[in-house]
Amino acid sequence: MKMTGIITAAALAVTSVSVSAETLKLLTWKGYAPKALVEKFEKQTGIDVEVTYSNNEEMIAKLRATRGSGFDLAQPSQDRISSVQAKYNIYQPMDYSKIKTDQIIASMLTAVKNNTNVKGKSYAAPFCYGTSGLVVNTKAAPDAKDYDALMDTNYKGRISYRLKRPTLIAMAFAKGDDPFAKYSDVDAYTELMEGVGEDLIASKHLVKNYWANGDALLELMRNGEVNVAMAWDNGGWKLHEQNPDIDFVAPTSGALGWIDTFAIPAKAKNVEGAYKWINFMLEPENAAYFTNQEKYGTASNGANEFLEPKIKANFERSFSKADIDNIKWYPPVPAKLESIEGKILDKVKAAN
Amino acid sequence: MSEYDLEVENLVRDFAAFRAVDHVNFKVEKGSFFSILGPSGCGKTTLLRMIAGFLEPNAGDIRIRNESVLGVPPNLRPVNLIFQHLSLFPMMDVKENISFGLKRRKIPQSTIDKQVDSILERVGLPEYGQKKINQLSGGQKQRVAIARALVLEPSILLLDEPLGALDLKLREQMKIELKKLQQQVGTTFVYITHDQSEALVMSDQVAVMDKGAFEQIDTPKNLYAHPKTGFVANFIGENNSFDATVSSSDPFRVKINSDMEFNARAMTGLSTGAECQLYIRPESIVINPLQNEPMNKFSVTVKNVLFDGANTKLLATIGDTGQEIMAALPQDKRFDHIQPGERLNVGVYDDACTCF
Amino acid sequence: MPYAGRLTLYFFLTPVLLWLFLLIVIPHIDLFVISMQVENDDGDMVWSLLNYQAFFEEKIYWMTFVRTALYAILTTLLTFIITFPVAFYITKVLSIKYSGFFTILLLVPFWVSELVRIYGWMILLRESGVFNHFLLQLGLIDVPIEMLYNDISMVMGLVYTSMLFMVVPLISSLEGLDDSLIEAAYDLGASKPVIFAKIVIPYILPGITSGSIVVFMLTLGNYLTPNLMGGKNSLWFTEQIYNEFIASFNWNQGAAFGFLLLVLSTFIIWLGLKLTRQNLSRALS
Ligand SMILES: Nc1ncnc2c1ncn2[C@@H]1O[C@H](COP(=O)(O)OP(=O)(O)OP(=O)(O)O)[C@@H](O)[C@H]1O
Ligand SMILES: [Mg+2]
């Protein structure tokens, strides 16, 4: 009796494996593959989705280590694609004929195509966008309007940011400089960033910690342990729902705008599945679900009508017309800059 | 000044409800070799550890050279202990082991070197200073352990069955050496053992211990000849023992069965009709006694000859009763003819039959 | 017959050698090769010692290593100081009946992952954490104090993570130490500190050495604890390696750092063994 039970179970297991043999290996950011959507997709297509969470740097390192295999779809930021592709050849050209491009906001698709163009071929399609700026407890830090609030002695011990390249770039803008304009001039860029590094070291004693995990930062802000932080807009909006005092503030020297994309690794096994996922995620209803949930802006064309009103309210509260015009969209990062920045960031971390 | 190095008074030690040492009293003369003999588990080590200071007694007093040492920790007591397993320090060589105690006394190194050399000489291990402990034989380890303690010139040296781990031959040899050494250095030795031969050979005085209490303290000879209790009679030397009934008290006679009666010596107050134990030593049994000799005579049937050199014994049954008795069988050719099944006449002097 | 013996020997040796070769030797050769290359201006790889030169010329690189090594040594010392009394108590004071139980109790925290343990500490120590809550309730402080994000909390986390690897060899070598050796020393006139220094420590020295090597290496190679519990200045050498590989995309520099970590830590251990007149095979036996 027991024995037959085990055999039946084993047989079932074998058949269920063979039924769902097709899998899609997704390398993406936390929150980019909501559970409900994954289940819906699996039901529609019969493809199993395996999700691995990561960030830009790790995505590149992973794909570089495997020479573009091991995953079927990645979601790097658009500015981190072209130079990496030119050097390591880890993605395959996007076949835009397989994407329902009418689902995508046209201007954004054009921008991404341009920015990910390597030798006449483009490598990505837009998925969502957002900005980095300040998340502020407006009661505790009413005057935090620009990135320099992160070096303000008034908020000593209540400041947090990531020790990553966006912070360097933000601080450069706050100094009145334009780091993007200096991307092509390595020496000028180095000089600018070294200055920023010195500023960060000088004001280091004001910082509570360098955050590495977004959820942990939100927890610190919720508890009032941090009042001014540099973070993504959606984090500020999420906190705003729980505590109206906390909100995302678009800095006066400009929020940093990024677009995250879909890109298919060079040796992806399930390319068809990858396109299916791209089209699925950009369907207006699904895209809207994602945005309602995660509060990131979507590249989906028709999603607007499905958005909750507070999403729109968030955006309008944080961004004036001038703020929107002032968003600094990341241009593609040329090679070499990362290692210059890396050394400066190490110096900041090690400094006393 | 008393001439006693160690006086123990009414010493008691309990482990929870179990009394390991029960009102023990004794005195050890300066320069003498004092043994405590008893079966395994009778409380010897416990007693010794109290003297060394590792255990506090529940009651009683311990005086060393007239001073009570209660409450004095082991490192400050003028006694040293040779442990049952010697406990030499394996990470040090012989010299470091021996100088360990001297170094604690802040003696200059040159003096230490001299003392170590002279004690090594004395225990017969010159030139052994640089050897590692695991390079020594059992007997050599023994001597190092003794040297390590003696070099401190303790008032009393306590030894806890130090020969227990050695093989028989070496044990016989070390017995004699230990005794010699003790006479040479003149240190008071308190020696515990469950081996009666060790105690009898080496000691000036022996205390027999049983179940935590002392049965008798005496010279080895007296213990053998005049045991004061049945336990001592049984424990010291070999003995045949019989259940007996007192049949008359003057002259003192006991019966071991309906038709076997012995003239005997009463060691405790025994009246007619009392139940007692009769002890007869194998070596006091005379084979083929002379006709007119006044002694208890009876016949036995030989069952077996237990050959053991000078220690050879005869195992026989008394008369037709089947009660077993052991007799010493001198190896002087006279009795070489004895075969199992043979009937022999034997006798034993009245004095050699003791009753408790 | 000897031939058959050989055969079985090879039979059992082969997997071991394969394992050593495939999983240890080859990756290290690969690491070494990568570390000996740099990218020239044309984007091609050329042989060079520049990656190693960078380590010694850039103060920040070798300072980070020195800092990491010093903290690893400090952690090893503290771990020993904290775990020795525990091990001693378990083996020499407690009755056998309880010592097994207490040993298991020591192991319990290590049934969960390091990450979980560290988050546990963070929940206790943070400004709005459990400790501060109690201190405030008891009126001992008026404003919460930040106990996290500094070198002290980092070292504490490292020590906590390392304790198991020290306490186990200590317990096993203390178990081998016969109580009567301690008593013999006591009887020969030694005071307690002398017994500790001359008998107990020398006896368990091999255990201390093997525990220390493991703790030192694990601490040196730790990444999570310094990163999560450490303060703003807590740049750990492994983090620097990670940054070279991941953030700067400079695998060559990262590989050189990795190789240097291996060589320098081996050197530190060798030095430690020399200074305490130990030898490795005895410590590990
Ligand atoms: N620490 C202790 N706790 C409880 N009981 C103990 C303890 N030490 C000894 N005993 C008991 O006390 C009794 C006497 O022990 P002791 O070690 O003194 O015997 P011994 O005469 O030295 O025996 P042996 O000849 O076997 O060494 C034994 O029954 C033993 O079980
Ligand atoms: Mg004993």
Side-chain angles (χ1 to χ4, degrees), chain A residues 219-270:
Chain A
E219 181 67 19
L220 286 173
M221 294 208 71
R222 207 174 281 136
N223 288 321
E225 290 184 44
V226 166
N227 292 330
V228 185
M230 183 173 166
W232 296 298
D233 47 19
N234 72 320
W237 292 332
K238 276 185 186 168
L239 284 176
H240 187 77
E241 281 180 7
Q242 297 154 17
N243 178 356
D245 290 341
I246 304 176
D247 208 347
F248 178 79
V249 173
T252 45
S253 52
L256 303 177
W258 45 262
I259 299 174
D260 283 349
T261 67
F262 293 109
I264 302 177
K267 297 180 185 162
K269 287 223 178 71
N270 191 356

Side-chain angles (χ1 to χ4, degrees), chain A residues 63-124:
Chain A
L63 292 174
R64 186 183 159 193
T66 61
R67 299 192 174 85
S69 72
F71 294 96
D72 299 314
L73 188 60
Q75 298 211 259
S77 298
Q78 58 138 354
D79 56 313
R80 307 297 289 271
I81 295 176
S82 56
S83 70
V84 170
Q85 173 60 23
K87 206 160 162 190
Y88 306 124
N89 197 21
I90 55 178
Y91 299 114
Q92 52 181 280
M94 189 63 69
D95 181 353
Y96 292 97
S97 68
K98 291 193 174 150
I99 298 174
K100 297 179 188 156
T101 41
D102 56 331
Q103 283 185 357
I104 304 176
I105 297 172
S107 61
M108 218 179 278
L109 179 62
T110 313
V112 167
K113 272 183 172 173
N114 285 337
N115 284 332
T116 62
N117 187 310
V118 178
K119 291 181 194 149
K121 283 178 177 149
S122 290
Y123 287 84

Side-chain angles (χ1 to χ4, degrees), chain A residues 61 80 125 144 178 192 197 263 319:
Chain A
R80 307 297 289 271
D178 184 354
L192 169 61
F319 290 94

Side-chain angles (χ1 to χ4, degrees), chain B residues 69-83:
Chain B
V69 290
L70 292 189
V72 180
N75 54 342
L76 302 179
R77 290 195 188 190
V79 300
N80 286 113
L81 178 58
I82 309 280
F83 287 80

Side-chain angles (χ1 to χ4, degrees), chain A residues 57-58 60-61 64-65 87 158 204 207-209 219 223 225 338 342-343 346-347 349 351-352, chain C residues 39 41 58 60-61 119 126-128 146 149 227 232-233 235 239-240 242-243 246-249 251:
Chain A
E57 288 83 7
E58 285 185 3
I60 296 164
R64 186 183 159 193
K87 206 160 162 190
R158 297 281 173 252
K204 186 170 176 176
V207 176
K208 183 187 184 76
N209 73 340
E219 181 67 19
N223 288 321
E225 290 184 44
E338 276 111 342
K343 201 178 242 172
D346 274 353
K347 265 186 197 152
K349 178 87 192 260
N352 278 307
Chain C
E39 192 183 320
D41 289 338
E58 275 289 345
I60 166 168
Y61 292 152
Y119 274 116
R126 59 190 292 173
E127 219 178 325
S128 53
E146 179 59 277
Y149 312 126
N227 216 342
K232 300 169 283 186
N233 313 329
L235 184 58
E239 189 180 342
Q240 204 156 55
Y242 174 90
N243 285 345
I246 305 296
S248 304
F249 305 139
W251 285 19

Side-chain angles (χ1 to χ4, degrees), chain C residues 71-166:
Chain C
Y71 269 115
I73 292 170
L74 176 72
T75 301
T76 310
L77 266 175
L78 287 177
T79 310
F80 172 70
I81 292 171
I82 290 170
T83 50
F84 177 79
V86 177
F88 193 84
Y89 185 80
I90 285 181
T91 48
K92 298 289 161 202
V93 183
L94 273 184
S95 71
I96 302 166
K97 204 165 55 176
Y98 299 111
S99 62
F101 171 73
F102 272 78
T103 313
I104 300 271
L105 213 62
L106 279 181
L107 303 188
V108 167
F110 294 87
W111 289 345
V112 299
S113 83
E114 186 182 1
L115 193 65
V116 175
R117 260 178 284 141
I118 290 172
Y119 274 116
W121 275 109
M122 292 176 76
I123 289 169
L124 288 179
L125 292 179
R126 59 190 292 173
E127 219 178 325
S128 53
V130 178
F131 281 173
N132 269 308
H133 178 77
F134 280 116
L135 289 177
L136 283 170
Q137 291 274 304
L138 292 172
L140 292 174
I141 50 172
D142 302 324
V143 279
I145 8 177
E146 179 59 277
M147 300 185 228
L148 267 180
Y149 312 126
N150 55 51
D151 286 0
I152 296 172
S153 67
M154 177 185 74
V155 169
M156 200 202 62
L158 287 170
V159 167
Y160 184 77
T161 304
S162 308
M163 282 197 317
L164 179 75
F165 303 98
M166 186 65 93

Side-chain angles (χ1 to χ4, degrees), chain A residues 9 20 24 39 55 66 89 136 167 177 181 221 240 255 279 281 292-293:
Chain A
S20 60
L24 178 72
E39 280 168 5
N55 59 41
T66 61
N89 197 21
V136 178
T167 309
D177 219 313
M221 294 208 71
H240 187 77
N279 287 325
M281 285 305 283
N292 286 334
Q293 189 92 3

